[in-house]
Amino acid sequence: MKILHLSDLHIGKSVNGFSMYPEQQYAFTQIINYIQTHHPDAVIISGDIYDRAVPGVEAVRLFDDFLTELAGEDTAVLIISGNHDSPERLNYASRLLADKRLYLYTTFDGTLHRIVLKDAHGDVTFWLLPFIRPSSLRGFFAERSAETYEEAFAMVLETADIDHTTRNILVSHQYFTHAATPPIRSDSELTPIGGLDAIDATLIESFDYAALGHLHGTQSAGPEHLHYAGSPIKYSFSERFQEKTATLVTLEEKGDLTITPLPLTPIHDMREIKGTLDTLVRDSLFEGSQDYLRVILTDEEEIVDPMGKLRSVFPNIMSLAFENTRTKIDPGTVTAHAGTAPKTLSPYELFCEFYLDLQGSTMNAAQTEIVREYLESQEEL
């Protein structure tokens, strides 16, 4: 049996004010092409379909188009909700869609749902669990309650009558960790303080494959078969070195599993460049100048409208920062040795740095004059 595993679509997401709609649409086109090439028996989407609980019209339309294309292929589609999704909204028309072999299980009802598919080796049971919190279990387990995410998941797992002599696949958006394999986290993920949502991955090692969502980098939670598909595109600069993929899983007889990453190429990659303004502008014709960029300027002198100058050659700058001798000054040192501060930065220079950091550009002539006059008036008091 072939399975295409996806997760964390985050349809509707914007990064630094840039809509990711074109990138998402481009990734979905590649995914459909992979389905038409490899003909998987099932497509799994392990949660976080949308980026917000109440998605915008454009996001809903894009997911509708994607589902319509999936329904046109000869494959079963299994979808759960993630921590970003609204389970009730995502569950709309789920019973009707099941007739099209689109199975949405997004609202927890106290049990693991099962979908059974067949291949030449017999049954493969898919166990679907939307994202749950300890509070999600209230009213389903009599007087029992769960204090942690791990306790909540263990309680749900107990309700399932799983025959581990056959092939079983878990579909989950919980955060599973393994003591021997530190997770690769991304800035675009929601991270509870202290990792309170973490669940010991040993609880799911008996599944033949765990189709996991939540982490945006493709990785395993310990053993290879406990697999995070990762997001199809990059949603933060912390992911700039990650290779985004769709995961093709080939499951033969029990114990015979192959995982193959299928690369997803972005329209615009995410990268970081650093140097002086003149150097970066001079070298602006390098391959990738249209990518989403975080630019770090190392100029020592003040620059008028650096963002405007850079965007004339790098249209997709998402972030601008500065790295020079002034930005490397330790504020604690200046405070502790106030007597030496004027020799390092004057009040005017300090304000210029503050304005630059706040606005991303330097003051114009009129603003400069106002600041100088004000500071001079304060010195006369």
Side-chain angles (χ1 to χ4, degrees), residues 78-281:
L78 298 87
I79 301 173
I80 61 169
S81 58
N83 55 305
H84 278 255
D85 297 311
S86 167
E88 293 77 17
R89 286 185 172 85
L90 197 58
N91 200 50
Y92 178 76
S94 60
R95 286 178 292 179
L96 181 63
L97 291 172
D99 292 336
K100 300 291 185 180
R101 300 181 73 209
L102 269 64
Y103 305 100
L104 282 82
Y105 180 33
T106 65
T107 304
F108 179 69
D109 62 5
T111 62
L112 276 174
H113 275 215
R114 73 175 75 187
I115 301 294
V116 180
L117 302 180
K118 298 179 181 293
D119 67 2
H121 303 289
D123 292 349
V124 178
T125 305
F126 295 79
W127 301 90
L128 279 62
L129 178 65
F131 179 76
I132 59 169
R133 297 177 174 85
S135 59
S136 304
L137 275 60
R138 291 173 187 162
F140 292 116
F141 291 89
E143 298 181 358
R144 296 180 63 189
S145 63
E147 300 297 326
T148 67
Y149 282 79
E150 185 170 305
E151 290 176 359
F153 177 78
M155 287 172 62
V156 173
L157 199 60
E158 290 173 7
T159 68
D161 182 18
I162 303 175
D163 179 4
H164 285 292
T165 64
T166 63
R167 294 171 297 168
N168 296 276
I169 293 176
L170 173 69
V171 183
S172 175
H173 194 82
Q174 303 302 132
Y175 174 36
F176 294 95
T177 62
H178 194 279
T181 310
I184 302 170
R185 302 305 304 260
S186 302
D187 293 341
S188 55
E189 301 160 2
L190 292 179
T191 306
I193 297 174
L196 297 177
D197 58 342
I199 299 173
D200 188 348
T202 59
L203 288 175
I204 59 174
E205 286 185 348
S206 55
F207 286 92
D208 294 272
Y209 181 74
L212 307 180
H214 190 60
L215 298 187
H216 290 184
T218 302
Q219 59 194 285
S220 295
E224 183 185 29
H225 70 288
L226 311 182
H227 188 74
Y228 289 99
S231 59
I233 67 174
K234 300 174 183 180
Y235 289 124
S236 70
F237 282 98
S238 64
E239 301 167 51
R240 66 186 185 276
F241 298 119
Q242 295 178 4
E243 296 295 329
K244 297 301 183 178
T245 63
T247 302
L248 181 65
V249 180
T250 304
L251 180 62
E252 301 291 351
E253 294 181 306
K254 188 172 180 66
D256 186 355
L257 180 79
T258 303
I259 298 175
T260 305
L262 304 176
L264 296 173
T265 304
I267 302 173
H268 306 294
D269 202 358
M270 249 183 211
R271 66 180 71 221
E272 180 183 284
I273 59 175
K274 181 165 68 172
T276 64
L277 178 63
D278 288 343
T279 300
L280 295 179
V281 170

